[in-house]
Amino acid sequence: MSDENSVICSAKGCRDAAAWVLAWNNPKLHTPERRKTWLACDEHREHLSQFLGVRGFLKDVVPLAEWQRQEG
């Protein structure tokens, strides 16, 4: 489980700490360079990736620590 300072998984009902960032965009709504993000714990990474992937929205899956370094 997560503590108050953790970043929480975006899966419905999940309260676990996130370990992954799923970068996505909806080409009907967003410019090509825009990235929205969902966070995922290890358990929900594949499920959330598939959900975004079948819609053609998923652009990248990055470990949270790497994403945080990139964002500065």
Side-chain angles (χ1 to χ4, degrees), residues 28-65:
K28 292 181 180 180
L29 301 176
H30 307 123
T31 59
E33 66 280 350
R34 175 137 186 231
R35 293 294 180 264
K36 305 274 287 173
T37 57
W38 280 357
L39 303 171
C41 64
D42 287 330
E43 181 180 344
H44 291 112
R45 183 185 96 177
E46 187 64 30
H47 171 74
L48 293 174
S49 294
Q50 286 179 356
F51 180 90
L52 293 168
V54 298
R55 289 158 179 82
F57 295 174
L58 186 63
K59 301 302 178 191
D60 204 4
V61 178
V62 180
L64 179 60

Side-chain angles (χ1 to χ4, degrees), residues 1-2 6-10 13-19 40-44:
M1 291 301 271
S2 62
S6 294
V7 181
I8 305 299
C9 178
S10 298
C14 184
R15 302 303 300 156
D16 289 343
C41 64
D42 287 330
E43 181 180 344
H44 291 112

